Amino acid sequence: MRGAVIHAPGDVRFESLDDPKILKPTDAVIRTAVTCVCGSDLWPWRGLDETTDPHPMGHEYVGFVEEVGSEVAGLRPGQFVVGSFATSDNTCANCRNGFQSNCLHREFMGTCQAEYIRIPNAQGTLVALDETPDEALWPSLLALSDVMGTGWWAADAAEVRPGSTAVVVGDGAVGLSGVIAAKEMGAERIIAMSRHESRQKLALAFGATDIVTERGEEGVARIKEMTGGIGADSVLECVGTSQAMSQALYSARPGGNVGFVGVPHDVAVDGEELFYSHVGLRGGPAPVRRYLPDLIDRVLTGRIDPGKVFDLTLPLAQVAEGYEAMDERRAIKALLKP
Amino acid sequence: MRGAVIHAPGDVRFESLDDPKILKPTDAVIRTAVTCVCGSDLWPWRGLDETTDPHPMGHEYVGFVEEVGSEVAGLRPGQFVVGSFATSDNTCANCRNGFQSNCLHREFMGTCQAEYIRIPNAQGTLVALDETPDEALWPSLLALSDVMGTGWWAADAAEVRPGSTAVVVGDGAVGLSGVIAAKEMGAERIIAMSRHESRQKLALAFGATDIVTERGEEGVARIKEMTGGIGADSVLECVGTSQAMSQALYSARPGGNVGFVGVPHDVAVDGEELFYSHVGLRGGPAPVRRYLPDLIDRVLTGRIDPGKVFDLTLPLAQVAEGYEAMDERRAIKALLKP
């Protein structure tokens, strides 16, 4: 089969690779329906995460079951499946507590920009649909495997409640998905912090009620001004930089909550500042598996359409162009078709 | 009148001071029934917080209303009142959200180790009892003004739930009060981290089910061992040092919560570690005023007896001996009688 391999910053190649095989009896192999490029894939592309040896890329996927290991129950070849970027047995103590992305047997996916994919912990990770969905829904179902699941987690961790005010820091695909989540959870006011016109439009289409273009201290001042001087009930931090984290913490009201889902790069939170802010802070890799049944239902019934974050569709063979377009912010998110 | 004044580390004197007066129409003046020394008073006593000019000390109090300002309704001379170490108007947006210790008109108390005390924001701060309580209850009511309210907040911020496992880091008066709170909130297992026999005994009397004497990494390993390898649902951080915060964060399970109430001294939380831990973190000065009506009821009905944290009673004139005894850990907490 063929798939994407990163060799160095800016150097992702579409190459021949060994076909994935069942390595453990708990594995499955799926044929990729669609996959995509994630904002976090840009860290090694930009050289901000080191690439020591060439390795496959990609952790988002929907596909068709091709083969299952001897210990995988409830899945059979031909089924259309959605899974998380973090695999889980869905039975351990952390999974039972709803934190499947901290499963004691967790393996992070990393080979999904390819024609076939091996899925560890298949039974606990994959959710099979009753029938193959219309191809028009594949992008939205694909979004659930990471960005929409992560946006949902950001809103959940930030404790968005009906009638509340939510601020979304970051206008990437996760931030935009966070707008959808805040809307679904009943936020009355959703303030998207964005200075890119196409992303502002999508944020408004997804349910944002206000756009704030200022950043840093000016952005915080604007949020305070809009929230009676005290700040927002919930802030979704969807970037992962130190500046974004500060912006998020200072935008939340005393007793408010920040859900942080951007993988932190050189972020340190000052204990005394957090103390006097009274802000609650929770983040981490999204427990996508917890949300999947509900989110699949919302997609299939047409309540949400997170697939709109894909504003570029490419053949899988042109995966490198997907990285480039996202790096140069010509695209929000690139969908890849095998 | 007379009261405590700190002049330098280790130098607290009982001196003649001006009688407090109504300075703003929202003030009250109370005659102190009992007051005490707080663990946080030891920071300047030990020279870890700087003392630039001599100033009065103390922020815990119960007393009798002596005089009220022209804008104070609902309080009259002679009433027995309990209040918080942080004053609040109890009407601003932060107060309405339940974070009275972040009131937009907040003033921290700091002159309470004295015979009379001026209380700013009196109407929103003080809770008057229907009648003067039996003197035997005064220590427990006094404890509500800070340590018991703070322990309650630690358990609340750590989201202690019926049937859950709670760990308490810190065996000072706040940590011991946290044990009471975790018990009242229905924790099934309460693990107190303590290596002092008298404090262990009190923790067990207050409802702790287990004592862990190990600290740091060994302490964390012990907690993991006791909690099926994953950590505790809730951890109450009642110290404020970097070591205590680490111990708390690593003792919580993925998806668990740390409530931190020790004023942080040189504490920085690494964003990436917090991210992968999935632990929720919330702290701050306790919103004591929110809890007061409920906690007063629990004391008056005999459900809780936090006054037991006072294991030394002194005349107010011997306030310096209270500091010394606590500094040398001869006493958990010193009660002062005018």
Side-chain angles (χ1 to χ4, degrees):
Chain A
M1 71 151 189
R2 290 166 309 165
V5 173
I6 188 165
H7 288 258
D11 183 8
V12 166
R13 304 178 199 167
F14 191 62
E15 296 180 352
S16 284
L17 294 166
D18 289 340
D19 287 341
K21 287 189 173 57
I22 302 289
L23 300 180
K24 292 185 194 172
T26 46
D27 289 349
V29 171
I30 68 169
R31 175 168 58 84
T32 309
V34 279
T35 179
C36 54
V37 182
C38 180
S40 66
D41 294 336
L42 297 179
W43 289 95
W45 171 268
R46 290 171 172 161
L48 299 171
D49 281 349
E50 203 184 356
T51 298
T52 45
D53 293 304
H55 59 82
M57 289 290 290
H59 52 264
E60 296 155 287
Y61 58 95
V62 287
F64 298 91
V65 176
E66 189 77 10
E67 195 187 349
V68 298
S70 58
E71 290 179 15
V72 178
L75 291 172
R76 53 176 194 279
Q79 283 179 318
F80 187 95
V81 289
V82 187
S84 164
F85 65 93
T87 70
S88 53
D89 61 23
N90 217 15
T91 59
C92 80
N94 290 336
C95 286
R96 290 197 309 274
N97 284 328
F99 286 82
Q100 288 91 342
S101 45
N102 220 313
C103 171
L104 296 172
H105 295 105
R106 175 184 67 189
E107 294 183 38
F108 284 115
M109 295 301 298
T111 64
C112 299
Q113 289 158 3
E115 291 167 336
Y116 292 86
I117 311 165
R118 183 179 74 88
I119 313 282
N121 298 307
Q123 185 178 325
T125 299
L126 299 175
V127 177
L129 273 62
D130 291 337
E131 51 190 50
T132 298
D134 190 289
E135 203 169 328
L137 293 176
W138 293 7
S140 284
L141 293 165
L142 171 63
L144 304 186
S145 74
D146 185 352
V147 285
M148 184 63 232
T150 298
W152 196 269
W153 160 237
D156 190 10
E159 300 187 15
V160 175
R161 298 282 181 268
S164 67
T165 294
V167 167
V168 181
V169 178
D171 61 2
V174 170
L176 293 165
S177 300
V179 171
I180 295 178
K183 174 101 188 296
E184 290 292 297
M185 293 181 190
E188 195 175 286
R189 194 163 191 194
I190 302 170
I191 306 170
M193 302 192 88
S194 169
R195 42 176 67 184
H196 299 87
E197 207 188 326
S198 61
R199 293 159 192 248
Q200 292 173 355
K201 275 189 187 159
L202 199 47
L204 292 168
F206 281 161
T209 54
D210 302 86
I211 301 288
V212 164
T213 55
E214 293 89 343
R215 281 187 192 166
E217 283 178 27
E218 284 180 9
V220 171
R222 187 82 191 88
I223 297 295
K224 289 273 170 77
E225 209 179 281
M226 297 168 78
T227 52
I230 62 166
D233 302 306
S234 297
V235 184
L236 289 62
E237 194 288 292
C238 306
V239 181
T241 61
S242 187
Q243 192 201 21
M245 180 64 99
S246 291
Q247 196 169 311
L249 285 172
Y250 290 121
S251 294
R253 69 163 171 83
N257 290 280
V258 169
F260 70 111
V261 300
V263 182
H265 284 72
D266 295 321
V267 173
V269 178
D270 181 77
E272 199 172 347
E273 280 184 26
L274 188 65
F275 183 83
Y276 286 105
S277 76
H278 275 127
V279 171
L281 184 58
R282 186 196 301 280
V288 168
R289 180 61 184 83
R290 190 204 317 174
Y291 306 130
L292 274 184
D294 174 54
L295 291 179
I296 289 171
D297 187 63
R298 288 176 201 257
V299 167
L300 295 181
T301 57
R303 270 196 71 85
I304 63 173
D305 190 3
K308 282 184 181 159
V309 297
F310 296 107
D311 55 350
L312 176 65
T313 299
L314 294 167
L316 179 55
Q318 291 176 36
V319 53
E321 163 58 13
Y323 280 76
E324 260 182 54
M326 285 174 62
D327 180 37
E328 294 164 11
R329 293 183 81 89
R330 284 185 280 118
I332 298 173
K333 196 168 175 71
L335 184 95
L336 303 168
K337 288 187 161 183
Chain B
M1 71 153 188
R2 289 165 310 162
V5 174
I6 189 165
H7 288 259
D11 182 10
V12 167
R13 304 178 199 166
F14 190 63
E15 295 181 351
S16 285
L17 294 165
D18 288 340
D19 285 341
K21 289 192 170 54
I22 301 290
L23 301 180
K24 293 185 193 171
T26 46
D27 289 349
V29 170
I30 68 169
R31 176 168 57 85
T32 309
V34 279
T35 179
C36 53
V37 182
C38 181
S40 66
D41 293 336
L42 297 180
W43 290 95
W45 172 269
R46 290 171 174 161
L48 299 170
D49 282 351
E50 204 184 354
T51 298
T52 46
D53 292 304
H55 58 83
M57 290 289 290
H59 52 265
E60 297 155 286
Y61 58 97
V62 287
F64 297 90
V65 177
E66 189 76 11
E67 193 186 351
V68 298
S70 59
E71 290 177 19
V72 177
L75 291 171
R76 55 176 194 279
Q79 284 179 316
F80 187 94
V81 289
V82 187
S84 164
F85 65 92
T87 70
S88 54
D89 61 23
N90 217 14
T91 60
C92 80
N94 290 336
C95 286
R96 291 197 308 275
N97 285 326
F99 287 82
Q100 287 92 340
S101 45
N102 219 313
C103 172
L104 296 172
H105 296 105
R106 176 185 66 190
E107 294 183 40
F108 284 113
M109 296 302 297
T111 63
C112 300
Q113 289 159 4
E115 292 167 336
Y116 291 86
I117 312 166
R118 183 179 74 89
I119 314 282
N121 299 305
Q123 186 177 325
T125 299
L126 299 175
V127 177
L129 273 61
D130 293 336
E131 50 190 53
T132 299
D134 190 288
E135 203 170 327
L137 293 175
W138 292 7
S140 285
L141 292 165
L142 171 64
L144 303 186
S145 74
D146 185 351
V147 286
M148 184 63 233
T150 298
W152 196 269
W153 159 237
D156 190 9
E159 299 187 15
V160 175
R161 298 282 180 269
S164 67
T165 294
V167 167
V168 181
V169 177
D171 61 3
V174 171
L176 293 166
S177 300
V179 171
I180 295 178
K183 173 101 189 294
E184 289 293 296
M185 293 181 190
E188 195 174 288
R189 196 165 188 191
I190 302 170
I191 305 170
M193 301 189 89
S194 170
R195 44 175 66 185
H196 299 85
E197 206 187 328
S198 61
R199 292 156 193 251
Q200 292 172 356
K201 274 190 189 159
L202 198 48
L204 292 168
F206 281 162
T209 55
D210 302 86
I211 301 287
V212 164
T213 54
E214 294 89 341
R215 281 187 191 166
E217 283 178 27
E218 283 180 12
V220 171
R222 188 80 192 90
I223 297 293
K224 289 274 170 77
E225 210 178 282
M226 296 169 79
T227 53
I230 63 167
D233 302 307
S234 297
V235 183
L236 289 61
E237 195 288 291
C238 306
V239 181
T241 62
S242 187
Q243 191 202 22
M245 180 64 100
S246 291
Q247 196 169 312
L249 285 171
Y250 289 120
S251 294
R253 69 162 171 83
N257 291 279
V258 170
F260 70 109
V261 299
V263 182
H265 284 72
D266 294 322
V267 173
V269 178
D270 181 77
E272 198 172 348
E273 280 184 26
L274 188 64
F275 184 83
Y276 286 106
S277 78
H278 276 127
V279 171
L281 185 58
R282 187 196 300 280
V288 167
R289 181 62 184 82
R290 190 203 318 171
Y291 306 130
L292 273 185
D294 173 53
L295 292 179
I296 289 171
D297 187 62
R298 288 176 201 256
V299 167
L300 294 181
T301 57
R303 269 197 71 85
I304 62 173
D305 189 3
K308 282 186 182 160
V309 297
F310 296 107
D311 55 350
L312 176 66
T313 299
L314 295 167
L316 179 55
Q318 292 175 36
V319 53
E321 162 58 13
Y323 280 76
E324 260 183 52
M326 286 174 62
D327 179 37
E328 294 165 10
R329 294 181 83 88
R330 284 185 279 118
I332 298 173
K333 196 167 174 72
L335 185 95
L336 302 169
K337 288 187 160 183

